[in-house]
Amino acid sequence: MSQYYTPPGGLPAQTSLMTGRAVFTEAYAFIPKGCFSDILTSYLPGWRGTKLWLIARPMSGFSETFSQYVMEVQPGGGSDTPDAETGAEHFLFVTGGLITLTIDGTGYEMDAGGYAFIPPGAKWQLLAEGTQPARFHWIRKLYEPAPGVAVPPAFVINEKDVALSMMPDTNGVWGTTRFVDPTDVRYDAHVNIVTFQPGGVIPFEETHVMEHGLYVLEGKAVYKLNQDWVEVEAGDFMWLRAYCPQACYAAGPGRFRYLLYKDVNRHANLRGPGGYRPSR
Protein backbone atom coordinates (compact mmCIF):
# COMPACT_ATOMS: atom_id res chain seq x y z
CA MET A 1 0.00 0.00 0.00
CA SER A 2 1.49 3.32 -1.06
CA GLN A 3 1.47 6.32 1.22
CA TYR A 4 2.17 9.81 -0.07
CA TYR A 5 3.25 12.65 2.17
CA THR A 6 1.29 15.88 1.82
CA PRO A 7 2.16 19.18 3.55
CA PRO A 8 -0.15 19.88 6.49
CA GLY A 9 0.33 23.64 6.18
CA GLY A 10 -0.20 25.81 9.22
CA LEU A 11 2.59 27.70 10.98
CA PRO A 12 5.19 26.50 13.53
CA ALA A 13 4.62 27.60 17.10
CA GLN A 14 6.45 30.64 18.42
CA THR A 15 8.25 28.27 20.82
CA SER A 16 9.74 26.23 17.94
CA LEU A 17 13.45 26.35 17.21
CA MET A 18 14.19 28.36 14.08
CA THR A 19 17.17 26.25 13.02
CA GLY A 20 16.25 23.86 10.23
CA ARG A 21 17.74 21.96 7.31
CA ALA A 22 17.06 24.31 4.38
CA VAL A 23 20.01 24.84 2.00
CA PHE A 24 20.46 26.87 -1.17
CA THR A 25 23.73 26.54 -3.09
CA GLU A 26 24.97 27.20 -6.61
CA ALA A 27 24.35 23.53 -7.44
CA TYR A 28 21.18 22.58 -5.59
CA ALA A 29 18.38 23.74 -3.32
CA PHE A 30 17.01 21.65 -0.46
CA ILE A 31 13.60 22.59 0.92
CA PRO A 32 12.69 20.50 3.99
CA LYS A 33 9.09 19.75 4.82
CA GLY A 34 9.18 22.24 7.70
CA CYS A 35 9.34 25.08 5.17
CA PHE A 36 5.88 24.27 3.80
CA SER A 37 4.01 26.70 6.03
CA ASP A 38 0.90 28.67 5.13
CA ILE A 39 2.78 31.98 4.98
CA LEU A 40 4.57 30.65 1.88
CA THR A 41 1.51 29.62 -0.09
CA SER A 42 0.32 31.35 -3.24
CA TYR A 43 -2.89 31.59 -5.29
CA LEU A 44 -3.57 31.40 -9.00
CA PRO A 45 -5.93 33.36 -11.26
CA GLY A 46 -8.80 31.20 -12.46
CA TRP A 47 -8.55 28.73 -9.57
CA ARG A 48 -11.25 28.47 -6.87
CA GLY A 49 -10.64 27.24 -3.33
CA THR A 50 -7.00 26.58 -4.10
CA LYS A 51 -3.64 27.32 -2.55
CA LEU A 52 -0.23 26.06 -3.56
CA TRP A 53 3.41 25.93 -2.68
CA LEU A 54 5.50 26.98 -5.69
CA ILE A 55 8.70 24.99 -5.18
CA ALA A 56 10.50 25.29 -8.53
CA ARG A 57 10.48 27.71 -11.43
CA PRO A 58 12.90 28.55 -14.26
CA MET A 59 15.79 30.66 -12.96
CA SER A 60 18.73 31.86 -15.00
CA GLY A 61 21.85 30.05 -13.84
CA PHE A 62 19.84 27.34 -12.10
CA SER A 63 17.15 24.88 -13.24
CA GLU A 64 15.70 26.45 -16.36
CA THR A 65 13.21 23.98 -17.84
CA PHE A 66 10.28 23.46 -15.47
CA SER A 67 8.05 24.68 -12.66
CA GLN A 68 6.57 22.54 -9.90
CA TYR A 69 3.65 23.25 -7.58
CA VAL A 70 2.29 21.38 -4.58
CA MET A 71 -1.45 21.97 -4.90
CA GLU A 72 -4.24 21.87 -2.30
CA VAL A 73 -7.79 22.29 -3.64
CA GLN A 74 -10.76 22.42 -1.31
CA PRO A 75 -13.85 20.29 -2.08
CA GLY A 76 -15.76 21.96 -4.90
CA GLY A 77 -12.73 24.01 -5.90
CA GLY A 78 -10.70 23.78 -9.07
CA SER A 79 -10.45 25.56 -12.39
CA ASP A 80 -12.05 25.70 -15.82
CA THR A 81 -9.03 27.64 -17.14
CA PRO A 82 -6.03 26.17 -15.32
CA ASP A 83 -3.22 27.71 -17.39
CA ALA A 84 -3.15 30.46 -20.03
CA GLU A 85 0.20 29.19 -21.38
CA THR A 86 -0.93 27.17 -24.40
CA GLY A 87 2.61 25.93 -25.13
CA ALA A 88 2.94 24.17 -21.78
CA GLU A 89 2.64 20.45 -21.16
CA HIS A 90 1.48 19.28 -17.76
CA PHE A 91 2.18 16.36 -15.44
CA LEU A 92 -0.16 15.78 -12.48
CA PHE A 93 0.40 13.31 -9.64
CA VAL A 94 -2.30 12.95 -6.99
CA THR A 95 -1.29 12.36 -3.36
CA GLY A 96 -4.71 12.63 -1.71
CA GLY A 97 -8.40 13.33 -2.23
CA LEU A 98 -10.58 12.88 -5.30
CA ILE A 99 -10.35 14.75 -8.61
CA THR A 100 -12.37 14.90 -11.78
CA LEU A 101 -10.01 15.84 -14.59
CA THR A 102 -11.49 16.68 -17.99
CA ILE A 103 -9.20 16.79 -21.04
CA ASP A 104 -10.65 17.86 -24.39
CA GLY A 105 -14.13 16.83 -23.25
CA THR A 106 -13.20 13.43 -21.79
CA GLY A 107 -13.56 13.04 -18.02
CA TYR A 108 -11.31 11.01 -15.72
CA GLU A 109 -11.69 10.19 -12.03
CA MET A 110 -8.41 10.35 -10.11
CA ASP A 111 -7.46 9.48 -6.54
CA ALA A 112 -4.17 8.92 -4.67
CA GLY A 113 -1.55 7.53 -7.03
CA GLY A 114 -3.29 8.98 -10.09
CA TYR A 115 -1.03 10.34 -12.82
CA ALA A 116 -1.96 12.46 -15.84
CA PHE A 117 -0.08 13.78 -18.84
CA ILE A 118 -1.69 16.75 -20.59
CA PRO A 119 -0.11 17.82 -23.90
CA PRO A 120 0.31 21.42 -25.01
CA GLY A 121 -2.79 22.99 -26.54
CA ALA A 122 -5.22 20.65 -24.77
CA LYS A 123 -8.31 22.14 -23.13
CA TRP A 124 -8.62 20.85 -19.58
CA GLN A 125 -10.49 21.44 -16.37
CA LEU A 126 -10.03 20.14 -12.83
CA LEU A 127 -12.60 19.79 -10.03
CA ALA A 128 -11.96 18.58 -6.47
CA GLU A 129 -14.61 16.05 -5.44
CA GLY A 130 -15.29 14.30 -2.14
CA THR A 131 -15.16 15.65 1.40
CA GLN A 132 -11.40 16.13 1.78
CA PRO A 133 -9.05 18.52 -0.05
CA ALA A 134 -7.52 17.24 -3.27
CA ARG A 135 -3.74 17.30 -3.14
CA PHE A 136 -1.46 16.85 -6.10
CA HIS A 137 1.82 17.83 -7.72
CA TRP A 138 1.63 19.89 -10.89
CA ILE A 139 4.74 20.04 -13.07
CA ARG A 140 4.73 22.39 -16.08
CA LYS A 141 7.18 22.64 -18.96
CA LEU A 142 7.19 24.38 -22.33
CA TYR A 143 6.96 21.52 -24.80
CA GLU A 144 9.81 21.35 -27.31
CA PRO A 145 8.51 20.14 -30.69
CA ALA A 146 10.83 18.16 -32.95
CA PRO A 147 10.71 17.78 -36.77
CA GLY A 148 8.70 14.74 -37.81
CA VAL A 149 7.76 13.89 -34.22
CA ALA A 150 4.11 13.94 -33.18
CA VAL A 151 2.98 15.54 -29.95
CA PRO A 152 2.09 12.71 -27.54
CA PRO A 153 -1.57 12.29 -26.57
CA ALA A 154 -3.07 12.86 -23.15
CA PHE A 155 -3.40 9.91 -20.81
CA VAL A 156 -4.48 9.20 -17.24
CA ILE A 157 -3.35 6.20 -15.20
CA ASN A 158 -2.69 5.15 -11.60
CA GLU A 159 0.72 4.04 -10.45
CA LYS A 160 -0.69 0.84 -8.96
CA ASP A 161 -1.41 -0.25 -12.54
CA VAL A 162 2.18 0.32 -13.71
CA ALA A 163 4.77 -2.40 -13.17
CA LEU A 164 7.91 -1.39 -11.33
CA SER A 165 10.94 -1.51 -13.65
CA MET A 166 13.90 -2.82 -11.69
CA MET A 167 17.36 -1.46 -12.35
CA PRO A 168 19.67 -4.23 -13.58
CA ASP A 169 22.05 -5.93 -11.14
CA THR A 170 20.47 -4.34 -8.05
CA ASN A 171 18.92 -7.46 -6.45
CA GLY A 172 15.47 -5.86 -6.51
CA VAL A 173 16.27 -2.94 -4.21
CA TRP A 174 16.09 -0.11 -6.80
CA GLY A 175 13.27 0.36 -9.26
CA THR A 176 11.42 3.04 -11.22
CA THR A 177 7.75 3.46 -12.02
CA ARG A 178 7.93 4.71 -15.60
CA PHE A 179 4.70 6.17 -16.92
CA VAL A 180 5.99 6.37 -20.51
CA ASP A 181 8.43 4.32 -22.55
CA PRO A 182 11.84 6.01 -22.10
CA THR A 183 12.66 5.37 -25.77
CA ASP A 184 9.56 7.26 -26.98
CA VAL A 185 11.06 10.52 -28.30
CA ARG A 186 7.65 12.21 -28.46
CA TYR A 187 8.22 13.02 -24.78
CA ASP A 188 10.74 15.75 -23.96
CA ALA A 189 10.48 15.15 -20.20
CA HIS A 190 9.86 12.27 -17.84
CA VAL A 191 8.11 12.37 -14.49
CA ASN A 192 8.63 9.04 -12.73
CA ILE A 193 8.60 7.55 -9.23
CA VAL A 194 11.85 6.08 -7.94
CA THR A 195 11.70 3.41 -5.21
CA PHE A 196 14.51 2.10 -3.01
CA GLN A 197 14.16 -0.74 -0.57
CA PRO A 198 16.22 -0.48 2.65
CA GLY A 199 19.88 -0.87 1.78
CA GLY A 200 19.40 0.25 -1.83
CA VAL A 201 21.92 2.72 -3.23
CA ILE A 202 22.76 4.76 -6.29
CA PRO A 203 26.28 3.32 -6.42
CA PHE A 204 28.00 6.19 -8.23
CA GLU A 205 27.78 9.96 -8.43
CA GLU A 206 25.35 10.65 -11.25
CA THR A 207 26.57 13.76 -13.05
CA HIS A 208 24.53 14.81 -16.08
CA VAL A 209 23.00 17.73 -17.94
CA MET A 210 19.39 16.81 -17.06
CA GLU A 211 17.79 18.98 -14.41
CA HIS A 212 15.89 17.38 -11.54
CA GLY A 213 13.08 18.04 -9.14
CA LEU A 214 12.84 15.33 -6.45
CA TYR A 215 9.95 15.38 -3.97
CA VAL A 216 10.15 12.67 -1.30
CA LEU A 217 6.83 10.84 -1.11
CA GLU A 218 7.71 8.22 1.50
CA GLY A 219 10.51 7.13 3.82
CA LYS A 220 13.95 8.57 4.48
CA ALA A 221 17.51 8.32 3.16
CA VAL A 222 20.77 10.18 2.84
CA TYR A 223 21.25 11.88 -0.52
CA LYS A 224 24.53 13.07 -2.00
CA LEU A 225 24.04 16.57 -3.45
CA ASN A 226 27.18 18.02 -5.02
CA GLN A 227 29.71 17.72 -2.17
CA ASP A 228 27.21 17.24 0.66
CA TRP A 229 25.48 14.25 2.19
CA VAL A 230 22.00 15.45 3.21
CA GLU A 231 19.47 13.58 5.34
CA VAL A 232 16.10 13.62 3.61
CA GLU A 233 12.63 12.39 4.58
CA ALA A 234 9.06 12.34 3.31
CA GLY A 235 7.91 15.86 2.47
CA ASP A 236 11.37 17.21 1.55
CA PHE A 237 12.13 18.64 -1.90
CA MET A 238 15.45 18.63 -3.78
CA TRP A 239 16.04 20.89 -6.78
CA LEU A 240 19.16 20.02 -8.78
CA ARG A 241 20.66 22.12 -11.52
CA ALA A 242 22.44 20.57 -14.49
CA TYR A 243 25.65 18.67 -13.64
CA CYS A 244 25.02 18.54 -9.89
CA PRO A 245 26.58 15.23 -8.75
CA GLN A 246 24.10 13.01 -6.91
CA ALA A 247 23.89 9.64 -5.22
CA CYS A 248 21.66 7.98 -2.63
CA TYR A 249 21.74 5.51 0.25
CA ALA A 250 18.39 4.31 1.57
CA ALA A 251 19.12 3.21 5.13
CA GLY A 252 15.58 2.23 6.07
CA PRO A 253 13.70 1.14 8.07
CA GLY A 254 11.09 1.28 5.29
CA ARG A 255 11.23 1.93 1.59
CA PHE A 256 12.26 5.33 0.20
CA ARG A 257 10.31 6.86 -2.72
CA TYR A 258 10.38 10.14 -4.59
CA LEU A 259 8.68 11.83 -7.53
CA LEU A 260 11.34 12.69 -10.12
CA TYR A 261 11.34 15.20 -12.98
CA LYS A 262 14.00 15.26 -15.69
CA ASP A 263 14.27 16.75 -19.19
CA VAL A 264 15.23 14.30 -21.97
CA ASN A 265 15.16 13.45 -25.69
CA ARG A 266 15.96 16.79 -27.29
CA HIS A 267 18.94 18.54 -28.88
CA ALA A 268 20.78 21.07 -26.77
CA ASN A 269 19.76 24.61 -27.67
CA LEU A 270 22.41 26.39 -29.74
CA ARG A 271 20.39 29.63 -30.01
CA GLY A 272 18.16 31.45 -27.61
CA PRO A 273 18.54 31.53 -23.80
CA GLY A 274 21.81 29.88 -22.86
CA GLY A 275 22.68 29.16 -26.48
CA TYR A 276 24.99 30.47 -29.18
CA ARG A 277 24.34 34.00 -30.47
CA PRO A 278 26.32 34.90 -33.57
CA SER A 279 27.95 38.30 -33.78
CA ARG A 280 26.46 40.88 -36.16
Side-chain angles (χ1 to χ4, degrees):
M1 179 67 178
S2 295
Q3 297 180 351
Y4 311 108
Y5 184 91
T6 58
L11 187 67
Q14 290 289 295
T15 55
S16 298
L17 292 177
M18 182 177 62
T19 304
R21 299 176 293 133
V23 176
F24 181 74
T25 75
E26 64 180 11
Y28 71 91
F30 175 64
I31 305 175
K33 66 179 184 181
C35 289
F36 287 76
S37 77
D38 280 349
I39 64 172
L40 300 178
T41 55
S42 187
Y43 303 86
L44 291 174
W47 283 80
R48 307 175 304 277
T50 300
K51 68 180 181 182
L52 68 133
W53 288 271
L54 198 165
I55 58 176
R57 68 173 178 85
M59 291 174 57
S60 179
F62 208 73
S63 295
E64 298 186 352
T65 58
F66 74 106
S67 70
Q68 184 165 348
Y69 309 153
V70 180
M71 304 287 290
E72 181 182 301
V73 185
Q74 295 300 313
S79 180
D80 297 322
T81 54
D83 192 353
E85 178 53 74
T86 57
E89 59 188 331
H90 309 273
F91 305 84
L92 308 182
F93 182 73
V94 181
T95 57
L98 300 174
I99 289 172
T100 296
L101 176 67
T102 304
I103 308 173
D104 290 331
T106 300
Y108 305 88
E109 300 298 320
M110 301 178 68
D111 58 6
Y115 179 101
F117 170 76
I118 304 170
K123 303 296 184 184
W124 61 287
Q125 298 85 36
L126 186 145
L127 177 65
E129 308 276 13
T131 60
Q132 300 297 318
R135 304 173 187 272
F136 60 96
H137 289 262
W138 178 8
I139 296 173
R140 303 163 63 244
K141 180 186 183 297
L142 286 178
Y143 183 74
E144 298 179 59
V149 176
V151 175
F155 70 89
V156 176
I157 199 168
N158 194 289
E159 75 141 324
K160 69 177 182 291
D161 299 319
V162 180
L164 188 65
S165 299
M166 304 310 301
M167 298 293 285
D169 303 319
T170 60
N171 297 318
V173 297
W174 177 10
T176 303
T177 303
R178 305 185 189 277
F179 295 99
V180 300
D181 182 346
T183 67
D184 189 339
V185 297
R186 294 179 300 173
Y187 297 93
D188 66 347
H190 292 164
V191 176
N192 301 323
I193 297 175
V194 179
T195 299
F196 287 94
Q197 298 299 330
V201 300
I202 297 176
F204 68 104
E205 293 179 329
E206 293 188 26
T207 307
H208 49 65
V209 72
M210 287 89 79
E211 298 170 346
H212 278 339
L214 295 87
Y215 184 91
V216 182
L217 297 169
E218 180 182 347
K220 65 177 184 176
V222 287
Y223 220 92
K224 180 72 175 291
L225 298 169
N226 200 19
Q227 299 176 336
D228 307 318
W229 282 100
V230 179
E231 288 186 288
V232 301
E233 64 177 345
D236 293 345
F237 179 67
M238 293 168 274
W239 189 20
L240 281 61
R241 69 172 297 173
Y243 298 113
C244 177
Q246 61 185 283
C248 176
Y249 173 52
R255 63 181 183 174
F256 174 64
R257 310 185 77 217
Y258 55 84
L259 186 70
L260 170 71
Y261 162 88
K262 65 178 178 180
D263 49 306
V264 293
N265 297 344
R266 290 296 184 268
H267 279 297
N269 287 332
L270 301 180
R271 296 184 174 84
Y276 171 68
R277 295 186 179 184
S279 59
R280 295 184 178 178

